Amino acid sequence: ISVHNIDRIEVVKGASSCLYGSEALAGVINIITKSPKITNKVIGNLSYKLGSFSTHDATVALDYGTQKLRAELFANYFNTQGYNLSGNSYSQTVEPYQNFSFQPKLKYIFSDRLDLTASSRWFRQEQDYKSEIGIDRYAGKSTINEWNHSVILHHKISDILKLSYDLYATNYKAEEYLNDVKGALFERSDYNQWFFRPELRGHYFLGNKTITAGIGLNYETLDRTDFKDKAT
């Protein structure tokens, strides 16, 4: 996640499964990205940073918002030549890599009791790397492709009851290979993970206290080089 698009980070200690899912047993680090605001016009922001090790970091963000419709478009490009702490003349501590992320977000407010938020994120990273095994040298590339989509509908039934309908889906795919000095394939690794999670959460307000309960379903598949069959 590009730091340019982070609004705040919450650290929650202790079990928080009702709010953040069944995996949140010991605590949560919740990275909250920026939300579209009311602007009544298109507002753009462009930034570019140049750092050591030929590091380039470029960001563009567009915002538009009215009382009913709010939209945000965010994109980031990052490129670096890496660095070397070991003094090895062939491979580096961090090999050169580049990545690109693209994130649109849309919120529509039907009424003061019903609103819909939809967001997506696409991420791609490529990294060239080298390796030495004994006296043999190898070179290859690692590629990561990731996307996730989220749709949340907030429905305020009454002043004391609020429902949230949440659908989340993501795919993470990584591929990497190593070739020897003659260009022949030495090693290849593939990783492909899918995850789907629909949820229904209810919030019941009792004065300054809130009772939260919900139900959800997780469906996950994983196909990787080390597995004979796809795991579900």
Side-chain angles (χ1 to χ4, degrees), residues 28-90:
V28 172
I29 299 177
N30 190 21
I31 302 176
I32 302 172
T33 57
K34 295 178 181 178
S35 297
K37 299 178 176 59
I38 298 177
T39 61
N40 292 317
K41 60 182 179 180
V42 177
I43 297 178
N45 181 40
L46 177 65
S47 67
Y48 173 77
K49 295 181 179 180
L50 178 63
S52 55
F53 311 113
S54 294
T55 300
H56 304 268
D57 188 358
T59 300
V60 59
L62 297 174
D63 290 277
Y64 174 77
T66 63
Q67 291 291 341
K68 288 286 187 180
L69 177 65
R70 301 172 193 179
E72 179 191 66
L73 188 63
F74 174 85
N76 176 257
Y77 173 77
F78 186 88
N79 184 301
T80 181
Q81 292 302 305
Y83 55 88
N84 191 9
L85 300 177
S86 64
N88 192 322
S89 60
Y90 183 69

Side-chain angles (χ1 to χ4, degrees), residues 38-145:
I38 298 177
T39 61
N40 292 317
K41 60 182 179 180
V42 177
I43 297 178
N45 181 40
L46 177 65
S47 67
Y48 173 77
K49 295 181 179 180
L50 178 63
S52 55
F53 311 113
S54 294
T55 300
H56 304 268
D57 188 358
T59 300
V60 59
L62 297 174
D63 290 277
Y64 174 77
T66 63
Q67 291 291 341
K68 288 286 187 180
L69 177 65
R70 301 172 193 179
E72 179 191 66
L73 188 63
F74 174 85
N76 176 257
Y77 173 77
F78 186 88
N79 184 301
T80 181
Q81 292 302 305
Y83 55 88
N84 191 9
L85 300 177
S86 64
N88 192 322
S89 60
Y90 183 69
S91 61
Q92 296 185 184
T93 305
V94 174
E95 300 287 357
Y97 70 92
Q98 61 179 355
N99 59 48
F100 175 78
S101 57
F102 177 74
Q103 182 172 324
K105 184 179 291 186
L106 181 69
K107 182 176 182 178
Y108 189 80
I109 303 173
F110 298 94
S111 66
D112 57 350
R113 293 184 176 272
L114 188 66
D115 65 78
L116 176 70
T117 301
S119 64
S120 297
R121 176 178 177 269
W122 287 271
F123 175 84
R124 178 179 175 85
Q125 177 171 291
E126 295 181 348
Q127 183 172 28
D128 297 317
Y129 62 96
K130 299 177 181 180
S131 177
E132 285 185 302
I133 303 177
I135 62 173
D136 298 321
R137 292 182 172 184
Y138 303 90
K141 175 177 285 189
S142 171
T143 304
I144 296 174
N145 287 287

Side-chain angles (χ1 to χ4, degrees), residues 23 147 168-172 193-197 217-221:
E23 294 87 0
W147 60 258
Y168 177 78
T170 183
N171 173 239
Y172 179 90
Q193 181 185 31
W194 291 81
F195 181 81
F196 302 91
R197 183 179 65 200
L217 173 68
N218 287 351
Y219 178 74
E220 183 177 2
T221 67

Side-chain angles (χ1 to χ4, degrees), residues 160-194:
I160 60 174
L161 179 61
K162 178 181 177 182
L163 296 179
S164 298
Y165 312 89
D166 189 351
L167 176 60
Y168 177 78
T170 183
N171 173 239
Y172 179 90
K173 188 175 183 179
E175 301 174 342
E176 60 182 32
Y177 67 87
L178 273 178
N179 291 341
D180 60 21
V181 292
K182 296 181 179 180
L185 181 64
F186 171 74
E187 185 180 52
R188 182 178 180 88
S189 177
D190 298 289
Y191 186 98
N192 190 8
Q193 181 185 31
W194 291 81

